[in-house]
Amino acid sequence: MNFQGSRRRGEDGIAMVIDFLLSNARLVLGVGGAAMLGIATLAVKRLIERAGRAADDEKVEQKMAESWEELSLVSASPKLITKGIEGVVMKHVAKAASEQQKDDLNQQPQMLSLEESKPESKSKRLQLCVLTLQERLQQYYHARAALTPHEVHRAQSLALDICTEIQGFLHSRHPDMPLGEMNLGGSLLDDLQVVTADHACLLVPLQLEASLWRLIPGEETLLTHPLHWMVRRVNLEYFPRGRSYWDRCLVGGYLSAEAVVNMFGKAVLETINWPSISSVMDCLIRPVPGGPDLRLEIRLRNEEGQETSDPPLVVSMLPLLRQEDVVLTAQPELTSPWVNAWHLSLYPWETQRLAQLDAADDGRRRHTLKILKAVCRLNPALRPLKAAPLANLILHLSDSESDWTENSLDVRFQQCITELIGYLEQGALHSYFKPAVNLLGGLSEDQVDQMGFMLYCAVSEPEILLI
């Protein structure tokens, strides 16, 4: 390339190169492109700034060489992390952040004079630049993570109406089915749902005869999985098969979670007249077929009777068993291929522990959890991280850090990023209540690489997660 021409010509040539790089980066980076294009753009910005500030051709060529080297790192595979160049990535981001800070300091006098002369013309971008991480986190929480009371109330009302309809139908059509009181559960009820109120959980408790059924912990079964419990039918010699309503769901002497889900699918999703209920509730209700779980999709209607553009509310029916503080759920998608296995839900323990810790020291652990959940949900590279690993991350960190007040929110957020990188490098984040369970075990190598790359970049610039 010839850089001997005028400054304008050089800038045009660089612009052409930048367009070429960005267009090809999208093809090369694939799924992780959203995370890496942000770093590529930052490097390109440095390229333009260096080329514009250079005084002579020799310096231009030197700066161009450095920028090309940086871009070659960005366009490489996301497996950079596993190949041991974490230091190079950190150096690259830290260098870019330090240069940006110098530019900001140089521009402060100009910004101050602009504010004094034309205070109304201050742009939103300049306002964001002067916000601290603490202020950005609070802004992100209220703007992106937290739900409005109206949105929560509307979703809960719809889910409760569905709950009432299903329970009334089962009482009338299957009066002998031993069920407890159905109610709502999950993140929508516990004020832990983020971004949008788009899912609710309807808990359907099964009532078992204590003399006929025994819950067996996962460690005592042949599966030896701490979360895969089984429910054995006992005393068959005194109470033969048929004495319990749930004997119809027996498979090999155990109560089958898959058989229970299939039974409710036929009795509820395939039998209830949903168009009739939709007209009564003034919304559109559709069963979601084809999956291993029991789900209903609810869409609101406008005054003309047409579907609105709002995202649908998905209501999941969750059959479960309770014995003291143990909650077993029928979720074949989590216990497959074992049709007899029931999933030990740790969600009630984790939620209760977080609430207890926050109540004891007026902390913001749940506040931090909602921010992390929103960040992961809105960032394609971090989307595979679900709520359970994030909740356990905070629980583990609470054992070593006692200050979770609002003033330390930024410190805890950055610490969560660092801790999560360490867990990803180890390939394991153990459950707080069941240490034998690895909450990262379901992630693929590519997913770990992409998440690790994104989090490494956020160490020096955590604001990139709050865009």
Side-chain angles (χ1 to χ4, degrees), residues 286-305:
R286 299 191 188 100
V288 181
D293 52 352
L294 307 170
R295 290 190 296 166
L296 294 168
E297 183 182 271
I298 305 176
R299 289 188 176 273
L300 299 177
R301 289 175 174 169
N302 54 26
E303 297 178 354
E304 291 77 17

Side-chain angles (χ1 to χ4, degrees), residues 8 38 253 337 355 450:
R8 179 64 185 171
Q450 293 165 9

